[in-house]
Amino acid sequence: MAINVAVIGCGYWGPNLIRNFYENPEVEVSYVCDLMPEKLAKLARRYPTIKLTNSYDEVLKDSKVNAVVIVTPVFTHFKLAKEALLAGKHVLVEKPMCSTSAECHELVALAEEKGLTLMVDHTFVYHGAVRKIKSEIDKGDFGDVVYFDSTRINLGLHQNDVNVVWDLAPHDLATMDYLINSNPVSVHATGASHIGNGIEDIAYLSLTLENGVIAHLNVSWLSPVKIRRILIGGTRKMVVYDDLDPAEKIKIYDKGIKSEEPQTSEGRHERLIQYRIGDMRAPVFDMTEALKAEVEHFVDCIKNKTTPVTDGRAGLRVVKILEAANLSLKTGQPQSLEVAAGKSK
Amino acid sequence: MAINVAVIGCGYWGPNLIRNFYENPEVEVSYVCDLMPEKLAKLARRYPTIKLTNSYDEVLKDSKVNAVVIVTPVFTHFKLAKEALLAGKHVLVEKPMCSTSAECHELVALAEEKGLTLMVDHTFVYHGAVRKIKSEIDKGDFGDVVYFDSTRINLGLHQNDVNVVWDLAPHDLATMDYLINSNPVSVHATGASHIGNGIEDIAYLSLTLENGVIAHLNVSWLSPVKIRRILIGGTRKMVVYDDLDPAEKIKIYDKGIKSEEPQTSEGRHERLIQYRIGDMRAPVFDMTEALKAEVEHFVDCIKNKTTPVTDGRAGLRVVKILEAANLSLKTGQPQSLEVAAGKSK
Amino acid sequence: MAINVAVIGCGYWGPNLIRNFYENPEVEVSYVCDLMPEKLAKLARRYPTIKLTNSYDEVLKDSKVNAVVIVTPVFTHFKLAKEALLAGKHVLVEKPMCSTSAECHELVALAEEKGLTLMVDHTFVYHGAVRKIKSEIDKGDFGDVVYFDSTRINLGLHQNDVNVVWDLAPHDLATMDYLINSNPVSVHATGASHIGNGIEDIAYLSLTLENGVIAHLNVSWLSPVKIRRILIGGTRKMVVYDDLDPAEKIKIYDKGIKSEEPQTSEGRHERLIQYRIGDMRAPVFDMTEALKAEVEHFVDCIKNKTTPVTDGRAGLRVVKILEAANLSLKTGQPQSLEVAAGKSK
Amino acid sequence: MAINVAVIGCGYWGPNLIRNFYENPEVEVSYVCDLMPEKLAKLARRYPTIKLTNSYDEVLKDSKVNAVVIVTPVFTHFKLAKEALLAGKHVLVEKPMCSTSAECHELVALAEEKGLTLMVDHTFVYHGAVRKIKSEIDKGDFGDVVYFDSTRINLGLHQNDVNVVWDLAPHDLATMDYLINSNPVSVHATGASHIGNGIEDIAYLSLTLENGVIAHLNVSWLSPVKIRRILIGGTRKMVVYDDLDPAEKIKIYDKGIKSEEPQTSEGRHERLIQYRIGDMRAPVFDMTEALKAEVEHFVDCIKNKTTPVTDGRAGLRVVKILEAANLSLKTGQPQSLEVAAGKSK
């Protein structure tokens, strides 16, 4: 039987989720809900069979609806998701999961209590390229990962309610959370606001993870060029994931460095450093649209009562880092992160 | 009459300076001095007329020598430059100028006292691309500069005596010092060492300048790919300087953002943000090799007793930032920089 | 009143036309017709309001249908278009227009006789980038165009009924026809087939136009990399149109060459050649999807009874070149093209 | 004992050869000869130990001189090389070897008669990237080579004595001659001249080789962008050699195509085409400067009396193609090439 889905919010990102749920053969999209009638109107032509409404109540009261997909501004996520869970609906919520980690905690607990699927739209985790990198890391092909360095910059879109850290960094933090099985212990963030509203449009985050990996994120709404690039350095191999490269998004470099302190009985005590520079390989990977895979995963998790890869705990882990980063931005000081007792996976 | 020059140190970078001094028609290169005979031997075939020596004393005692070019490890700069100035020689010293700002101060004072030219090899300041960007900024074409973001990463060359900040960041700090007429008031740095010697091979620097500009530097010896890119954002235009682009190193984007708080008598108080997206222009610029222009400038400054663009004070400003960055790396805390009373230019 | 449209053929390209017609507010898509039921089935979910049929007769007999869009294999174009015109329908036909120029002639005459709109889907003519280049050429900014050089290569998709010239070259020939107001007088083509079916999968076309411009096309289904690039050289400026560049599809180079024979009374009679190397400019252009603009143009032409930019005569001009190229491939000899008495524009 | 070398001609390319011979430890450069005193003057400072002369006679009469390196305009190659061989000197001659194949034949015969080394400066054959590709082809890794497609375009340098085919195509023809062990049986060329001197500055060559491989060359002095790219298609792998890519000059694609005619007892007789799309690999290769390797090879061949890889016969094979291409340009007709009885290797 088809999963009956309602999508809440049809602004910038919503239509992509609507399209992917609409085309999933195991799903029936029954509602799209938005407060702005002009946004709904645009959908009428394309999806004549979907009910368009501005009443969230109507959606929640409809017992045919199995799952609610929340694609609204961040500050509304908690309230909408909580109501949906209380109404017995499974929930997929846009990233970042909530405005505070306390809210995330509450949703995680509520979903567990109700036995409902709670999943966060960490889209990149479902991207074939990221999955390919994950499988190479897990095979041990890279050796130990030692750094994670991402750049996600372009011009706009400036948000009115969240800064660039909350807008863009979740993509990289969720990707890192998925690829590297370790939590940050400290975060330092710097940034600046340039349009007079006090909302940072450029920011830099430096993190240290429990396992010693250092991570750095460069996020900006004020760059003339668009860059979407992650470098991951391992002790054996290094990878560049350039999401904008039309042909070779993943490049794996057989490059490394070896250092030894020679046992000279006498003379200069010089460290010998050797570079290994081998071939580069650009592997093929599954080209399925990430959102399509994500929608399939959500449906599977509901059907089989399994835990999503990007469950509420993953959403919580990301929001904790965002909170700490925001505090660091405000105080100018590095922030420790209480280390989570464990990851859900 | 030709300027008589001795070059001290012929390791990695020295031969480039030797070649450019050798080919300058107003210069005679009389000595190359190095402690390693095998390095000198390599030069014998190519420069049969230059005296090769391992005695710095011999060089300083030769009254024909007008200027000394110091291209040795950083920790030796101060001693060698001081002796040269005391011996009445003009000095060009490799970046970074010295190991401490105190040493820089002493050299600046000594050179002024002696009336000698003291110049630091901040090569990029003499690069046609950087000069072109400077002229566009000075014309006011970019509006006010609001950010400076550089990435200078590649695999190696790991140094044994200085970390990646002291090795790579001087290029970007000197370029920034030249392009943006303002000093940093605070620096925060994070980094890590991966080869067991405690010397950072990846580092990130965040700076705030007196005039409010934020700057960020990403430097690494541990990247599988080589990137040499500086983004500069102005209120009217933004520029990308990609030193590795064979065809278009400078790209000037006619892009900007305007934000206004609309005077709605009622209703939602929403900030309106407008993006201006115009043409990109890649200007031509002087393609002269930077070192050639730098050598000519050094010779001119000696002949005309004028102050070099990259004088000792510029070298000092860069070293002050490096010192603060190192302290931040060690303490994990942001460091304030005493604001210099003024720049020499 | 809405234009009522039927789309015939929903293989590889058809769905793009269906989507664009479907979303055009002045159009109602009433039918999609295809012989393969499995292809139709895929559309049912997405377009529940469109009638799906395998009977072309049914479509032509429906008097509500104003226009027929033919997106079927080339060899069927003539028959389907002719029947549609005879049934009083306007026609948009996929490129290349027909299998022979004689067929094109017949359709052009029939459409004129019937007073119906006959348009060919030369998509690139409706691309913002091509329109921008056209406007720069027409302003005289490039000087006289002297060459046109295109490369359109990638791996696949091998066709069973036409060779790579008929499949890929129409894009470039139509673009050239639009940008440069002159007809070819001769064509030479070389090529080869590599999969044992005698159908060329690599080909090179050299053309000379009436106005002296030389053109060259490199088309291939057997390249490991995808290239979509057109170079156009003018006496004052030169342009590169790289359709795969995500950021700067058009680059206009202020480059040129001047040659003069100096009047030396004696001595070496050497031609002096001077290169002008100025800035490069990447202009912004209308980013509307080409098919969207094309559909709007088709609708406008029907409503206002105006001649499409890519009318049947444009389709005919392209097919004439394809015919000559095929003959050249077969004979190994250059082929003259009877120069058309004039262009329709 | 060192090989004593005289370099004849120090225009654009000569200085590169002078530098590489000068730095070879087994060579002594005794003379540089040129008719233009201002060109010689530039060398005096850099190479104070080399005799500079405008007398070729002086060079040939000096019995210490073992080898002559001819880097002069093409039309002088034959006369200069012949005189050198007659004077008992080994000869390295710039490409293309001579103005006619008859001249090449005569030099080949003369060198063999005299037992002297005659080598042509087909530089790319000594490039690490080309050597790497050769080794992969020879290992059979690519399967059978089926096409060779090169693009070598940029702005200038227009020559006064030869057209763009004679100037640029030798690089690609020599590379092809080296990589693919087969001679052309026919050539077709088109081109045009744009500066009023009748010398083609754009040309396209299509060749068919004995073994069925098709080759195509696109050469131009009138392109706003510089492209140096060769595509080679094999039945198992395909390679792109982009000489301007700073990081990955060689990319080997594990891509291929399989076609079969299915034995359907009834129904549509459709060819099934399957694409294999695997990883891309960018192999490391020897980064030695090509000219350095070439100079070493020349020295080795002289010392060991072995035949150079790019001997006079290789030079002859290239000139034969150039002659045929020129004839095709003039007549507009494809030209057959008498198939050589065999290659020298």
mmCIF file of all heavy atoms in Angstrom, chain A residues 147 149 158 188 190 204 206 216 218 222 224 255 257 275 332-334, chain B residues 147 149 158 188 190 204 206 216 218 222 224 255 257 275 332-334:
data_model
loop_
_atom_site.group_PDB
_atom_site.id
_atom_site.type_symbol
_atom_site.label_atom_id
_atom_site.label_comp_id
_atom_site.label_asym_id
_atom_site.label_seq_id
_atom_site.Cartn_x
_atom_site.Cartn_y
_atom_site.Cartn_z
ATOM 1 N N TYR A 147 42.087 14.805 7.998
ATOM 2 C CA TYR A 147 41.456 16.131 7.927
ATOM 3 C C TYR A 147 40.261 16.120 6.990
ATOM 4 O O TYR A 147 40.141 15.248 6.112
ATOM 5 C CB TYR A 147 42.451 17.233 7.544
ATOM 6 C CG TYR A 147 42.927 17.201 6.102
ATOM 7 C CD1 TYR A 147 42.158 17.718 5.058
ATOM 8 C CD2 TYR A 147 44.175 16.669 5.786
ATOM 9 C CE1 TYR A 147 42.614 17.692 3.755
ATOM 10 C CE2 TYR A 147 44.635 16.638 4.482
ATOM 11 C CZ TYR A 147 43.844 17.163 3.461
ATOM 12 O OH TYR A 147 44.273 17.126 2.171
ATOM 13 N N ASP A 149 38.096 19.230 4.895
ATOM 14 C CA ASP A 149 38.166 20.660 4.588
ATOM 15 C C ASP A 149 37.152 20.989 3.501
ATOM 16 O O ASP A 149 37.289 20.534 2.366
ATOM 17 C CB ASP A 149 39.595 20.984 4.111
ATOM 18 C CG ASP A 149 39.783 22.428 3.726
ATOM 19 O OD1 ASP A 149 38.822 23.062 3.231
ATOM 20 O OD2 ASP A 149 40.880 22.953 3.889
ATOM 21 N N HIS A 158 20.865 35.130 0.666
ATOM 22 C CA HIS A 158 20.800 35.631 2.037
ATOM 23 C C HIS A 158 19.441 35.288 2.654
ATOM 24 O O HIS A 158 18.403 35.492 2.039
ATOM 25 C CB HIS A 158 20.996 37.147 2.042
ATOM 26 C CG HIS A 158 22.419 37.569 1.839
ATOM 27 N ND1 HIS A 158 23.072 37.411 0.643
ATOM 28 C CD2 HIS A 158 23.327 38.119 2.701
ATOM 29 C CE1 HIS A 158 24.319 37.864 0.758
ATOM 30 N NE2 HIS A 158 24.500 38.301 1.984
ATOM 31 N N HIS A 188 35.550 26.468 16.750
ATOM 32 C CA HIS A 188 35.796 27.900 16.765
ATOM 33 C C HIS A 188 35.256 28.468 15.462
ATOM 34 O O HIS A 188 35.445 27.886 14.397
ATOM 35 C CB HIS A 188 37.290 28.218 16.868
ATOM 36 C CG HIS A 188 37.540 29.691 16.939
ATOM 37 N ND1 HIS A 188 37.780 30.461 15.825
ATOM 38 C CD2 HIS A 188 37.533 30.543 17.995
ATOM 39 C CE1 HIS A 188 37.939 31.721 16.201
ATOM 40 N NE2 HIS A 188 37.785 31.796 17.503
ATOM 41 N N THR A 190 34.562 32.161 13.116
ATOM 42 C CA THR A 190 34.644 33.600 12.900
ATOM 43 C C THR A 190 33.745 33.920 11.727
ATOM 44 O O THR A 190 33.412 33.047 10.927
ATOM 45 C CB THR A 190 36.081 34.047 12.567
ATOM 46 O OG1 THR A 190 36.529 33.307 11.432
ATOM 47 C CG2 THR A 190 37.017 33.802 13.729
ATOM 48 N N TYR A 204 33.723 31.044 8.995
ATOM 49 C CA TYR A 204 34.726 29.994 8.950
ATOM 50 C C TYR A 204 34.641 29.204 10.239
ATOM 51 O O TYR A 204 34.641 29.781 11.320
ATOM 52 C CB TYR A 204 36.124 30.599 8.806
ATOM 53 C CG TYR A 204 36.253 31.511 7.605
ATOM 54 C CD1 TYR A 204 36.126 32.889 7.724
ATOM 55 C CD2 TYR A 204 36.477 30.973 6.345
ATOM 56 C CE1 TYR A 204 36.235 33.716 6.615
ATOM 57 C CE2 TYR A 204 36.589 31.796 5.223
ATOM 58 C CZ TYR A 204 36.462 33.168 5.366
ATOM 59 O OH TYR A 204 36.560 33.979 4.273
ATOM 60 N N SER A 206 36.287 26.048 12.519
ATOM 61 C CA SER A 206 37.371 25.082 12.752
ATOM 62 C C SER A 206 36.918 24.125 13.832
ATOM 63 O O SER A 206 36.514 24.565 14.912
ATOM 64 C CB SER A 206 38.644 25.802 13.228
ATOM 65 O OG SER A 206 39.233 26.487 12.163
ATOM 66 N N HIS A 216 37.487 21.836 8.827
ATOM 67 C CA HIS A 216 37.355 23.269 8.581
ATOM 68 C C HIS A 216 36.279 23.473 7.530
ATOM 69 O O HIS A 216 36.213 22.742 6.546
ATOM 70 C CB HIS A 216 38.680 23.859 8.082
ATOM 71 C CG HIS A 216 38.640 25.349 7.950
ATOM 72 N ND1 HIS A 216 38.311 25.982 6.776
ATOM 73 C CD2 HIS A 216 38.859 26.332 8.857
ATOM 74 C CE1 HIS A 216 38.348 27.300 6.977
ATOM 75 N NE2 HIS A 216 38.685 27.543 8.223
ATOM 76 N N ASN A 218 34.372 26.546 5.185
ATOM 77 C CA ASN A 218 34.348 27.914 4.670
ATOM 78 C C ASN A 218 32.992 28.079 3.992
ATOM 79 O O ASN A 218 32.725 27.441 2.976
ATOM 80 C CB ASN A 218 35.510 28.056 3.667
ATOM 81 C CG ASN A 218 35.580 29.410 3.000
ATOM 82 O OD1 ASN A 218 34.599 30.150 2.979
ATOM 83 N ND2 ASN A 218 36.732 29.725 2.432
ATOM 84 N N LEU A 222 28.592 35.433 -0.076
ATOM 85 C CA LEU A 222 29.089 36.688 -0.661
ATOM 86 C C LEU A 222 30.285 36.444 -1.568
ATOM 87 O O LEU A 222 31.176 37.266 -1.678
ATOM 88 C CB LEU A 222 29.481 37.641 0.491
ATOM 89 C CG LEU A 222 29.347 39.139 0.220
ATOM 90 C CD1 LEU A 222 27.897 39.510 -0.013
ATOM 91 C CD2 LEU A 222 29.890 39.946 1.399
ATOM 92 N N PRO A 224 31.758 35.751 -5.426
ATOM 93 C CA PRO A 224 31.344 35.902 -6.827
ATOM 94 C C PRO A 224 31.315 34.584 -7.571
ATOM 95 O O PRO A 224 30.649 34.455 -8.587
ATOM 96 C CB PRO A 224 32.415 36.822 -7.400
ATOM 97 C CG PRO A 224 33.623 36.604 -6.537
ATOM 98 C CD PRO A 224 33.090 36.318 -5.160
ATOM 99 N N LYS A 255 48.313 9.664 -3.039
ATOM 100 C CA LYS A 255 49.406 10.516 -2.584
ATOM 101 C C LYS A 255 49.533 10.377 -1.078
ATOM 102 O O LYS A 255 48.542 10.206 -0.377
ATOM 103 C CB LYS A 255 49.126 11.979 -2.919
ATOM 104 C CG LYS A 255 49.216 12.293 -4.405
ATOM 105 C CD LYS A 255 49.058 13.786 -4.658
ATOM 106 C CE LYS A 255 49.261 14.105 -6.132
ATOM 107 N NZ LYS A 255 49.085 15.539 -6.425
ATOM 108 N N ILE A 257 52.551 10.844 2.468
ATOM 109 C CA ILE A 257 53.787 11.389 2.985
ATOM 110 C C ILE A 257 54.274 10.467 4.086
ATOM 111 O O ILE A 257 53.487 9.923 4.851
ATOM 112 C CB ILE A 257 53.520 12.811 3.496
ATOM 113 C CG1 ILE A 257 54.779 13.451 4.011
ATOM 114 C CG2 ILE A 257 52.437 12.842 4.567
ATOM 115 C CD1 ILE A 257 54.566 14.927 4.291
ATOM 116 N N TYR A 275 57.632 11.892 -0.136
ATOM 117 C CA TYR A 275 56.305 12.034 -0.730
ATOM 118 C C TYR A 275 56.055 10.882 -1.689
ATOM 119 O O TYR A 275 56.920 10.517 -2.474
ATOM 120 C CB TYR A 275 56.199 13.363 -1.480
ATOM 121 C CG TYR A 275 56.358 14.542 -0.553
ATOM 122 C CD1 TYR A 275 57.589 15.151 -0.366
ATOM 123 C CD2 TYR A 275 55.263 15.018 0.161
ATOM 124 C CE1 TYR A 275 57.740 16.207 0.509
ATOM 125 C CE2 TYR A 275 55.405 16.075 1.038
ATOM 126 C CZ TYR A 275 56.641 16.667 1.216
ATOM 127 O OH TYR A 275 56.778 17.704 2.086
ATOM 128 N N GLY A 332 33.609 35.151 20.268
ATOM 129 C CA GLY A 332 34.976 35.181 19.776
ATOM 130 C C GLY A 332 35.843 34.080 20.363
ATOM 131 O O GLY A 332 37.038 34.018 20.089
ATOM 132 N N GLN A 333 35.270 33.229 21.165
ATOM 133 C CA GLN A 333 36.035 32.186 21.854
ATOM 134 C C GLN A 333 35.698 30.797 21.306
ATOM 135 O O GLN A 333 34.553 30.548 20.934
ATOM 136 C CB GLN A 333 35.701 32.184 23.355
ATOM 137 C CG GLN A 333 36.081 33.464 24.070
ATOM 138 C CD GLN A 333 37.583 33.706 24.036
ATOM 139 O OE1 GLN A 333 38.352 32.780 24.242
ATOM 140 N NE2 GLN A 333 37.986 34.933 23.738
ATOM 141 N N PRO A 334 36.681 29.895 21.291
ATOM 142 C CA PRO A 334 36.395 28.498 20.954
ATOM 143 C C PRO A 334 35.402 27.913 21.956
ATOM 144 O O PRO A 334 35.387 28.329 23.121
ATOM 145 C CB PRO A 334 37.754 27.806 21.096
ATOM 146 C CG PRO A 334 38.775 28.887 21.154
ATOM 147 C CD PRO A 334 38.098 30.120 21.625
ATOM 148 N N TYR B 147 36.142 41.840 2.339
ATOM 149 C CA TYR B 147 36.781 40.598 2.795
ATOM 150 C C TYR B 147 37.943 40.203 1.880
ATOM 151 O O TYR B 147 38.012 40.632 0.729
ATOM 152 C CB TYR B 147 35.775 39.444 2.923
ATOM 153 C CG TYR B 147 35.249 38.890 1.619
ATOM 154 C CD1 TYR B 147 35.974 37.974 0.863
ATOM 155 C CD2 TYR B 147 33.986 39.251 1.154
ATOM 156 C CE1 TYR B 147 35.475 37.460 -0.330
ATOM 157 C CE2 TYR B 147 33.482 38.738 -0.025
ATOM 158 C CZ TYR B 147 34.226 37.844 -0.769
ATOM 159 O OH TYR B 147 33.741 37.336 -1.937
ATOM 160 N N ASP B 149 40.046 36.500 1.166
ATOM 161 C CA ASP B 149 39.972 35.060 1.475
ATOM 162 C C ASP B 149 40.957 34.323 0.584
ATOM 163 O O ASP B 149 40.762 34.260 -0.628
ATOM 164 C CB ASP B 149 38.528 34.588 1.229
ATOM 165 C CG ASP B 149 38.339 33.100 1.475
ATOM 166 O OD1 ASP B 149 39.295 32.321 1.238
ATOM 167 O OD2 ASP B 149 37.249 32.703 1.863
ATOM 168 N N HIS B 158 57.223 20.116 3.130
ATOM 169 C CA HIS B 158 57.345 20.220 4.578
ATOM 170 C C HIS B 158 58.715 20.777 4.960
ATOM 171 O O HIS B 158 59.736 20.341 4.434
ATOM 172 C CB HIS B 158 57.173 18.842 5.226
ATOM 173 C CG HIS B 158 55.746 18.393 5.266
ATOM 174 N ND1 HIS B 158 55.048 18.042 4.136
ATOM 175 C CD2 HIS B 158 54.873 18.249 6.306
ATOM 176 C CE1 HIS B 158 53.810 17.689 4.481
ATOM 177 N NE2 HIS B 158 53.668 17.806 5.774
ATOM 178 N N HIS B 188 43.112 34.715 14.827
ATOM 179 C CA HIS B 188 42.870 33.418 15.431
ATOM 180 C C HIS B 188 43.381 32.368 14.464
ATOM 181 O O HIS B 188 43.145 32.450 13.268
ATOM 182 C CB HIS B 188 41.386 33.184 15.709
ATOM 183 C CG HIS B 188 41.152 31.866 16.390
ATOM 184 N ND1 HIS B 188 40.863 30.720 15.699
ATOM 185 C CD2 HIS B 188 41.209 31.515 17.697
ATOM 186 C CE1 HIS B 188 40.729 29.720 16.553
ATOM 187 N NE2 HIS B 188 40.942 30.164 17.768
ATOM 188 N N THR B 190 44.009 28.036 13.817
ATOM 189 C CA THR B 190 43.917 26.632 14.209
ATOM 190 C C THR B 190 44.779 25.845 13.232
ATOM 191 O O THR B 190 45.072 26.317 12.137
ATOM 192 C CB THR B 190 42.472 26.096 14.138
ATOM 193 O OG1 THR B 190 41.976 26.307 12.816
ATOM 194 C CG2 THR B 190 41.580 26.812 15.127
ATOM 195 N N TYR B 204 44.673 27.355 9.548
ATOM 196 C CA TYR B 204 43.652 28.305 9.119
ATOM 197 C C TYR B 204 43.788 29.555 9.966
ATOM 198 O O TYR B 204 43.831 29.465 11.195
ATOM 199 C CB TYR B 204 42.263 27.695 9.300
ATOM 200 C CG TYR B 204 42.090 26.381 8.578
ATOM 201 C CD1 TYR B 204 42.240 25.166 9.240
ATOM 202 C CD2 TYR B 204 41.812 26.354 7.214
ATOM 203 C CE1 TYR B 204 42.111 23.956 8.573
ATOM 204 C CE2 TYR B 204 41.679 25.145 6.538
ATOM 205 C CZ TYR B 204 41.826 23.953 7.223
ATOM 206 O OH TYR B 204 41.701 22.762 6.555
ATOM 207 N N SER B 206 42.196 33.390 10.836
ATOM 208 C CA SER B 206 41.110 34.366 10.687
ATOM 209 C C SER B 206 41.590 35.675 11.271
ATOM 210 O O SER B 206 42.050 35.705 12.415
ATOM 211 C CB SER B 206 39.867 33.911 11.459
ATOM 212 O OG SER B 206 39.237 32.850 10.793
ATOM 213 N N HIS B 216 40.831 35.712 5.785
ATOM 214 C CA HIS B 216 40.964 34.300 6.138
ATOM 215 C C HIS B 216 42.004 33.679 5.232
ATOM 216 O O HIS B 216 42.028 33.940 4.036
ATOM 217 C CB HIS B 216 39.624 33.578 5.971
ATOM 218 C CG HIS B 216 39.665 32.154 6.470
ATOM 219 N ND1 HIS B 216 39.953 31.096 5.655
ATOM 220 C CD2 HIS B 216 39.483 31.633 7.705
ATOM 221 C CE1 HIS B 216 39.927 29.971 6.363
ATOM 222 N NE2 HIS B 216 39.658 30.265 7.607
ATOM 223 N N ASN B 218 43.849 29.911 4.276
ATOM 224 C CA ASN B 218 43.858 28.454 4.359
ATOM 225 C C ASN B 218 45.190 28.010 3.766
ATOM 226 O O ASN B 218 45.414 28.168 2.564
ATOM 227 C CB ASN B 218 42.657 27.927 3.548
ATOM 228 C CG ASN B 218 42.570 26.406 3.499
ATOM 229 O OD1 ASN B 218 43.551 25.716 3.745
ATOM 230 N ND2 ASN B 218 41.404 25.894 3.153
ATOM 231 N N LEU B 222 49.493 19.592 2.885
ATOM 232 C CA LEU B 222 48.977 18.226 2.887
ATOM 233 C C LEU B 222 47.737 18.083 2.005
ATOM 234 O O LEU B 222 46.845 17.291 2.276
ATOM 235 C CB LEU B 222 48.641 17.826 4.337
ATOM 236 C CG LEU B 222 48.792 16.349 4.706
ATOM 237 C CD1 LEU B 222 50.225 15.900 4.576
ATOM 238 C CD2 LEU B 222 48.274 16.084 6.112
ATOM 239 N N PRO B 224 46.129 17.150 -1.738
ATOM 240 C CA PRO B 224 46.484 16.429 -2.960
ATOM 241 C C PRO B 224 46.468 17.338 -4.183
ATOM 242 O O PRO B 224 47.079 17.013 -5.196
ATOM 243 C CB PRO B 224 45.395 15.364 -3.070
ATOM 244 C CG PRO B 224 44.214 15.940 -2.340
ATOM 245 C CD PRO B 224 44.808 16.755 -1.208
ATOM 246 N N LYS B 255 29.466 42.076 -9.587
ATOM 247 C CA LYS B 255 28.396 41.484 -8.788
ATOM 248 C C LYS B 255 28.317 42.222 -7.465
ATOM 249 O O LYS B 255 29.331 42.657 -6.924
ATOM 250 C CB LYS B 255 28.691 40.005 -8.503
ATOM 251 C CG LYS B 255 28.560 39.123 -9.726
ATOM 252 C CD LYS B 255 28.694 37.656 -9.340
ATOM 253 C CE LYS B 255 28.418 36.755 -10.555
ATOM 254 N NZ LYS B 255 28.611 35.329 -10.242
ATOM 255 N N ILE B 257 25.425 43.283 -3.941
ATOM 256 C CA ILE B 257 24.222 42.997 -3.192
ATOM 257 C C ILE B 257 23.760 44.292 -2.556
ATOM 258 O O ILE B 257 24.566 45.102 -2.121
ATOM 259 C CB ILE B 257 24.526 41.915 -2.138
ATOM 260 C CG1 ILE B 257 23.283 41.524 -1.383
ATOM 261 C CG2 ILE B 257 25.623 42.330 -1.203
ATOM 262 C CD1 ILE B 257 23.526 40.321 -0.504
ATOM 263 N N TYR B 275 20.267 41.279 -5.689
ATOM 264 C CA TYR B 275 21.568 40.900 -6.211
ATOM 265 C C TYR B 275 21.779 41.557 -7.567
ATOM 266 O O TYR B 275 20.880 41.583 -8.398
ATOM 267 C CB TYR B 275 21.660 39.386 -6.351
ATOM 268 C CG TYR B 275 21.546 38.689 -5.015
ATOM 269 C CD1 TYR B 275 20.319 38.229 -4.546
ATOM 270 C CD2 TYR B 275 22.661 38.540 -4.211
ATOM 271 C CE1 TYR B 275 20.219 37.622 -3.304
ATOM 272 C CE2 TYR B 275 22.565 37.926 -2.972
ATOM 273 C CZ TYR B 275 21.343 37.473 -2.522
ATOM 274 O OH TYR B 275 21.250 36.877 -1.305
ATOM 275 N N GLY B 332 45.260 28.232 21.511
ATOM 276 C CA GLY B 332 43.867 27.998 21.132
ATOM 277 C C GLY B 332 43.013 29.250 21.268
ATOM 278 O O GLY B 332 41.798 29.208 21.047
ATOM 279 N N GLN B 333 43.617 30.357 21.624
ATOM 280 C CA GLN B 333 42.856 31.596 21.843
ATOM 281 C C GLN B 333 43.165 32.633 20.760
ATOM 282 O O GLN B 333 44.291 32.702 20.272
ATOM 283 C CB GLN B 333 43.242 32.217 23.207
ATOM 284 C CG GLN B 333 42.914 31.338 24.389
ATOM 285 C CD GLN B 333 41.417 31.101 24.527
ATOM 286 O OE1 GLN B 333 40.625 32.037 24.371
ATOM 287 N NE2 GLN B 333 41.001 29.867 24.770
ATOM 288 N N PRO B 334 42.168 33.445 20.423
ATOM 289 C CA PRO B 334 42.417 34.580 19.531
ATOM 290 C C PRO B 334 43.453 35.517 20.161
ATOM 291 O O PRO B 334 43.518 35.626 21.394
ATOM 292 C CB PRO B 334 41.067 35.278 19.428
ATOM 293 C CG PRO B 334 40.060 34.331 19.967
ATOM 294 C CD PRO B 334 40.772 33.392 20.877
#
